[in-house]
Amino acid sequence: MGGIVLAMHQVKIFDTTLRDGEQSPGCSMNLSEKIVMARQLEKLGVDIIEAGFAIASPMDFKSIQAIASAAPNCTIASLARCNTKDIDAAWDAVKDAKKPRIHVFLATSDVHMQFKLRMTREQVLSTITEMVAYAKAKCDDIEFSAEDASRSDREFLAQAFSNAIAAGATTINVPDTVGYSTPQEMSELIAYLKEHVTGIDGADISVHCHNDLGMGVANSLACVKAGATQVECTVNGIGERAGNASLEEIVMAIRTRKDFYDAETNINTHEIYKSSRLLSNITGVPIAPTKPIVGANAFAHEAGIHQHGMITNAQTYEIMNPDEIGVPHRALVLGKHSGKHAIRERLESMGYEIPDEELEDIFVRFKKLADQKKTITSSDLEALTLHRSRIVRPEEGTASTCQLISHSITSGSDIPKISYVKLRKDNAVMEGVEYGAGPLDAAFKAVNKMLGVDARLEDFSVRAVTEGEDSIGEAVVKISSVATGEIYTGSGISTDIVEASLQAYISGINKMFEAE
Ligand code: KIV
Ligand code: ZN
């Protein structure tokens, strides 16, 4: 690139993992999990964290406040519909943030205005003016989103954004709410808005693309090329229906194809892999092996011809270096006699800075694992660490937590399936024995009976998360509360899949206690 000066433009990354992402079924997080994720998003270097929808529930409100103090270097946004109650709640939730933002939205497409809002175009325009001004009187940093912008009449959309800017909006957001648009259409829409929205030069142009036709990332990137200065996205692309545009894909495309996009972000790409793994661990939603950037196969080269090329020169088949994304080196092995210092060093080399009290806990579990496994790899250590980071801590939750002490099962093709489980809750130890259709069914029934909970198992999976015959199994359960219908995700790891399953079930129940 010698001698060529590129006209780089800065693209802000607006992360909505904790709002749009968390809204999707199966991805809900409790307060302590949101805090852990928010800290990681700050390390990742996102510019804005959309922390929730303050009016939606007292829990959302509390989470936004907690995220604001957990990630003080990021702008913290709360979503609000265009009404005073929503805006008041949003402001109350973000006002103590160092950099608060209110994000107001109103739909502008004919289909939304007619059938959802039951408002005329004139009413929509005047509501935008009134409510953006109302929000502006509280907060300097105002984002206005025209929901379903990509299916809105262009002239009307431009007028809506002009009104928002005149009333004080500093960012205007163009959502492809239903993931209907194509890259070319999105690019043309941005160009049109740049030309027809009054005051647009003083505002950030943001895009928010859903992935219903698999074009969320392509649409976002087309907008960057057309001059968008903010992209809204989620880690691992989680979100409503087919998800939102994926943060890691957008960021790495901008970085890898700097020559094409002439743009850059503030993201510390070395934190991408860790952010992705952490989120997957928290939500229990696995990452597809072929997922770009963060999938297990993203940097695996199976075909002989590829391997040969890679050995000769990695650039033959690799357009990104896995180190850039922070993919840890897997091969390194720890032994049964490795000390705490070695564990800390290894974790640090993988990018995990662990406080002393957590290291102690990881070390105890490392020793236990070392008794069960011949060798412990970096992936084993990572599984222990990630799992540790999502354990509900009583001081952050509202209820005391329950712990598995021990268990045993009797199972076979022609004998009754019986499970014995021993638990601790509130310093009381309890034991239960139950029959079931299988040993896990029996074990889960025993837990329900001892704790007096009415929970239904909605989904269950076990998979190996590390390599080898004695690999660590991760169990993920989704349980629903019969009383409220709410779904809770729990996960557990162990070389014993029954133990992993019971830990997962109990961690789901703990979350249910915390929420109730
Ligand atoms: O998809 C959408 O339109 C949204 C808005 C609230 C920004 O999430
Ligand atoms: Zn959305």
Side-chain angles (χ1 to χ4, degrees):
M1 281 280 141
I4 299 174
V5 180
L6 298 173
M8 280 299 161
H9 82 276
Q10 190 70 27
V11 176
K12 292 179 185 162
I13 297 295
F14 176 115
D15 180 276
T16 185
T17 305
L18 297 172
R19 197 279 295 171
D20 218 339
E22 206 255 348
Q23 226 163 281
S24 65
C27 289
S28 59
M29 297 173 226
N30 66 23
L31 182 60
S32 44
E33 290 168 336
K34 285 184 184 174
I35 291 170
V36 170
M37 195 62 211
R39 286 192 189 123
Q40 181 56 34
L41 290 173
E42 186 183 56
K43 271 197 190 166
L44 179 63
V46 307
D47 299 278
I48 301 111
I49 295 178
E50 185 162 52
F53 191 1
I55 195 86
S57 72
M59 196 40 141
D60 252 55
F61 186 92
K62 198 169 151 195
S63 304
I64 297 169
Q65 289 182 317
I67 290 166
S69 59
N73 296 318
C74 300
T75 295
I76 304 295
S78 168
L79 189 64
R81 286 165 299 193
C82 260
N83 65 61
T84 55
K85 264 191 165 172
D86 275 40
I87 294 169
D88 289 344
W91 175 238
D92 284 342
V94 298
K95 68 180 177 214
D96 291 329
K98 251 199 205 156
K99 294 185 269 181
R101 173 178 291 192
I102 301 177
H103 177 192
V104 285
F105 75 100
L106 192 62
T108 50
S109 65
D110 287 335
V111 64
H112 275 238
M113 289 188 292
Q114 188 181 343
F115 297 104
K116 187 181 82 174
L117 300 176
R118 300 190 188 283
M119 286 168 86
T120 63
R121 287 187 176 195
E122 289 66 33
Q123 285 169 324
V124 165
L125 289 178
S126 61
T127 304
I128 292 170
T129 298
E130 224 179 290
M131 289 301 114
V132 170
Y134 183 81
K136 186 72 175 184
K138 296 173 185 287
C139 182
D140 260 354
D141 186 344
I142 301 296
E143 172 166 336
F144 171 72
S145 284
E147 192 187 9
D148 208 16
S150 54
R151 293 194 299 166
S152 302
D153 174 79
R154 277 187 181 186
E155 256 181 63
F156 176 65
L157 182 66
Q159 189 58 56
F161 284 138
S162 301
N163 282 26
I165 292 172
T170 39
T171 302
I172 53 128
N173 182 34
V174 187
D176 184 26
T177 302
V178 290
Y180 176 77
S181 224
T182 68
Q184 192 167 346
E185 285 167 334
M186 284 306 282
S187 164
E188 285 166 9
L189 180 57
I190 299 298
Y192 176 88
L193 293 172
K194 279 175 83 170
E195 210 175 307
H196 293 89
V197 173
T198 311
I200 198 149
D201 289 342
D204 270 313
I205 303 174
S206 173
V207 290
H208 175 115
C209 301
H210 279 269
N211 204 29
D212 299 65
L213 291 173
M215 292 191 279
V217 170
N219 283 340
S220 307
L221 290 168
C223 295
V224 168
K225 183 73 177 165
T229 51
Q230 176 178 292
V231 175
E232 304 197 353
C233 46
T234 60
V235 173
N236 295 343
I238 66 165
E240 294 266 31
R241 308 180 307 277
N244 288 62
S246 130
L247 180 149
E248 54 280 2
E249 293 176 31
I250 290 167
V251 167
M252 288 314 292
I254 290 176
R255 180 177 162 107
T256 309
R257 295 304 314 276
K258 219 178 223 177
D259 61 316
F260 181 75
Y261 290 110
D262 297 346
E264 57 191 359
T265 71
N266 284 325
I267 294 297
N268 174 2
T269 59
H270 295 99
E271 294 289 330
I272 284 181
Y273 173 83
K274 211 156 24 109
S275 308
S276 163
R277 290 300 306 264
L278 177 65
L279 182 69
S280 167
N281 200 269
I282 287 175
T283 56
V285 178
I287 302 159
T290 50
K291 166 100 173 59
I293 319 295
V294 290
N297 294 354
F299 295 98
H301 299 272
E302 290 288 340
I305 191 167
H306 286 205
Q307 286 175 352
H308 175 72
M310 286 290 297
I311 291 162
T312 321
N313 181 340
Q315 284 182 5
T316 47
Y317 286 102
E318 213 164 72
I319 57 165
M320 293 165 278
N321 182 337
D323 288 342
E324 280 179 87
I325 292 142
V327 179
H329 296 268
R330 297 267 166 229
L332 307 166
V333 174
L334 288 159
K336 190 173 173 157
H337 302 293
S338 302
K340 217 184 288 178
H341 190 67
I343 307 282
R344 181 188 287 288
E345 270 188 356
R346 176 62 50 80
L347 282 169
E348 277 174 2
S349 78
M350 291 158 67
Y352 292 99
E353 287 155 30
I354 308 289
D356 284 347
E357 63 284 6
E358 288 192 25
L359 185 71
E360 187 59 45
D361 177 83
I362 291 167
F363 186 62
V364 169
R365 294 179 331 121
F366 167 81
K367 285 289 176 194
K368 189 174 165 213
L369 188 63
D371 284 337
Q372 295 159 351
K373 271 186 115 230
K374 288 193 290 284
T375 50
I376 300 197
T377 62
S378 296
S379 342
D380 291 318
L381 199 53
E382 183 180 52
L384 289 180
T385 307
L386 282 170
H387 188 71
R388 165 70 202 158
S389 70
R390 57 169 316 218
I391 291 171
V392 178
R393 297 181 190 93
E395 70 274 17
E396 283 170 354
T398 53
S400 57
T401 55
C402 171
Q403 286 161 339
L404 176 67
I405 299 175
S406 63
H407 71 282
S408 78
I409 59 163
T410 308
S411 185
S413 49
D414 296 323
I415 55 170
K417 283 70 177 169
I418 306 169
S419 289
Y420 158 83
V421 183
K422 191 171 177 183
L423 302 175
R424 179 180 294 112
K425 183 167 192 294
D426 299 331
N427 293 324
V429 172
M430 20 187 141
E431 296 172 288
V433 179
E434 283 295 321
Y435 287 94
L440 289 179
D441 180 46
F444 297 165
K445 273 187 181 147
V447 173
N448 283 1
K449 199 162 175 187
M450 277 185 275
L451 298 175
V453 294
D454 212 357
R456 201 169 32 226
L457 185 66
E458 301 289 346
D459 197 16
F460 171 69
S461 65
V462 191
R463 68 192 178 101
V465 286
T466 63
E467 311 81 9
E469 292 148 14
D470 53 0
S471 68
I472 292 183
E474 181 188 53
V476 176
V477 300
K478 293 201 187 286
I479 54 169
S480 64
S481 156
V482 173
T484 63
E486 281 296 317
I487 305 265
Y488 302 94
T489 305
S491 77
I493 55 168
S494 173
T495 49
D496 168 348
I497 57 166
V498 176
E499 183 176 305
S501 308
L502 260 166
Q503 280 180 355
Y505 194 77
I506 290 167
S507 90
I509 299 271
N510 277 333
K511 285 198 204 170
M512 201 164 109
F513 285 151
E514 194 197 355
E516 282 169 0

